Amino acid sequence: MNKIVSLSLVVFGLFTTIQAQDFQGMAVYESKTSTADMTSGFRGNREITPEMQKQIEERMKSMFEKTFILNFDKTASIYKEEERIEQPGQGGGMRFMSSMLGGGGTHYKNVKEKTFSVDKEFMGKEFLVSDSLPRLDWQLSGETKQIGNYLCFKATAVRKVEQSDFRNFRRNATAKEENKDEKKEETKEENKEEKKTTNFTDGWEMPKEVVVTAWYTPDIPVSQGPESYWGLPGLILEVSDGKTTILCSKIVINPKEKASIKAPKNGKVVTQQEYDKIVTEKMEEMRQMNQGQGGNRGFQMRVGG
């Protein structure tokens, strides 16, 4: 009984703190994305040795393992990647690829006004994507689990995939079967001088939507979360969408040093739809260039650079 009373007092005290005018919180998130489909496009090409394939896979994995900081108050938040020292061997081609995948910046959400702004760098140009917050039809569940010191509840939704979010690229079933057939043909024709090369992005497809699973805690009653996620009756501590999982590893309520929670200002202002169009058109242009350079050859030079 005493434990129940004590817990109730803690929750009540936290709720009272959050209602204060100067309330602010900070959460640390670890993000990981499966890159198996992305790197499979290099397999079967004789210009890429097993050692190079392994190196590519390790670098891609590292590039998609990131730490983010979410600073939030009752109505707004900023979500930004934690700065880190660039690892040896991740310059050149990896910076180029990171740019193609859309360099991060400050992701600002205002749940009261239901708007967001995020500054992005793509192919050396700065953009400020400003639009309405995407609304998800969350289905709340009674299923629970513990994340750190917080009891979390499960919620699911179906989200439309942004065409500029290349984390969701995948090899389609047809491409996978064709890849198997190509390997068989290569075995039969291994003495031939000329070999067929394929473009790195051939057989890639972007799903139109993904199922999102989120875990939120009512103990922190703010409608915030990582990236563009919001709309639940509590802070989202974990979210999985497609091939990416984002998990909260640390929470600080009312940190000593307050963050400036303001929308970014730099970059050419575009809507999400306009930005998606810019990125997809540029990627198609790069794909055509790679085909003109002999498939994987052009992309290999950038990865190894």
Side-chain angles (χ1 to χ4, degrees):
M1 180 65 70
N2 289 335
K3 289 183 179 180
I4 296 175
V5 172
S6 177
L7 179 60
S8 298
L9 288 174
V10 169
V11 173
F12 177 76
L14 181 58
F15 181 81
T16 303
T17 300
I18 291 174
Q19 297 310 306
Q21 290 295 325
D22 61 346
F23 163 76
Q24 195 174 114
M26 185 274 289
V28 179
Y29 291 88
E30 310 295 336
S31 174
K32 293 185 179 182
T33 298
S34 171
T35 59
D37 278 353
M38 299 180 193
T39 56
S40 66
F42 292 107
R43 298 190 183 104
N45 187 285
R46 296 200 170 188
E47 294 179 357
I48 298 180
T49 66
E51 291 75 17
M52 292 171 63
Q53 174 71 26
K54 183 178 180 181
Q55 185 182 53
I56 290 170
E57 291 175 354
E58 289 176 349
R59 290 185 180 182
M60 288 282 284
K61 181 181 177 182
S62 175
M63 189 167 63
F64 283 97
E65 290 184 352
K66 299 182 177 182
T67 300
F68 293 86
I69 306 296
L70 178 74
N71 289 284
F72 58 92
D73 56 28
K74 291 183 291 185
T75 60
S77 68
I78 52 173
Y79 183 75
K80 190 173 183 179
E81 182 180 355
E82 183 180 57
E83 293 184 5
R84 63 178 179 178
I85 300 175
E86 189 174 85
Q87 297 298 316
Q90 289 191 348
M94 287 296 105
R95 283 199 302 269
F96 173 85
M97 190 166 186
S98 181
S99 173
M100 292 184 68
L101 293 170
T106 299
H107 195 137
Y108 172 85
K109 296 195 300 289
N110 190 310
V111 298
K112 184 177 181 180
E113 298 176 356
K114 297 180 175 55
T115 59
F116 78 90
S117 295
V118 54
D119 51 351
K120 291 176 176 286
E121 181 182 341
F122 179 73
M123 300 292 288
K125 295 183 179 181
E126 292 186 8
F127 296 91
L128 182 62
V129 184
S130 296
D131 216 322
S132 300
L133 275 173
R135 289 178 174 271
L136 295 182
D137 183 17
W138 291 109
Q139 303 299 309
L140 305 185
S141 165
E143 187 176 345
T144 65
K145 76 173 181 178
Q146 196 79 13
I147 298 179
N149 297 323
Y150 297 92
L151 179 65
C152 297
F153 290 81
K154 183 180 180 180
T156 56
V158 176
R159 178 178 71 84
K160 181 181 177 181
V161 174
E162 296 168 0
Q163 295 305 296
S164 58
D165 187 354
F166 294 105
R167 294 174 303 179
N168 286 298
F169 257 141
R170 65 190 181 194
R171 301 276 288 175
N172 61 39
T174 302
K176 290 177 181 178
E177 289 302 317
E178 289 177 350
N179 192 38
K180 292 179 181 178
D181 293 339
E182 285 177 4
K183 287 183 178 180
K184 291 179 181 178
E185 290 299 319
E186 284 183 0
T187 301
K188 294 178 181 179
E189 303 176 4
E190 58 184 358
N191 292 324
K192 289 187 176 181
E193 293 183 2
E194 293 185 2
K195 296 292 179 183
K196 179 183 177 181
T197 59
T198 59
N199 187 14
F200 171 71
T201 56
D202 283 350
W204 277 18
E205 66 177 5
M206 182 76 81
K208 293 183 178 180
E209 56 188 27
V210 292
V211 175
V212 179
T213 300
W215 295 89
Y216 67 95
T217 176
D219 292 347
I220 305 178
V222 294
S223 185
Q224 291 288 351
E227 294 192 354
S228 61
Y229 290 109
W230 71 291
L232 287 168
L235 180 66
I236 298 172
L237 299 191
E238 181 180 342
V239 62
S240 298
D241 62 347
K243 299 186 294 181
T244 299
T245 297
I246 306 173
L247 176 64
C248 181
S249 59
K250 180 181 179 181
I251 295 177
V252 178
I253 300 298
N254 281 332
K256 293 181 179 180
E257 294 186 11
K258 302 288 186 180
S260 176
I261 302 179
K262 295 181 180 179
K265 301 293 184 182
N266 297 330
K268 179 182 177 181
V269 179
V270 293
T271 64
Q272 184 66 58
Q273 184 176 4
E274 290 171 339
Y275 181 73
D276 288 348
K277 182 179 179 181
I278 291 170
V279 172
T280 52
E281 287 180 351
K282 179 56 68 174
M283 288 298 290
E284 175 60 23
E285 180 183 325
M286 294 299 298
R287 191 181 73 84
Q288 296 293 338
M289 287 177 58
N290 282 340
Q291 284 183 335
Q293 294 177 352
N296 278 334
R297 185 188 303 275
F299 198 87
Q300 176 190 333
M301 290 172 63
R302 296 186 179 94
V303 170

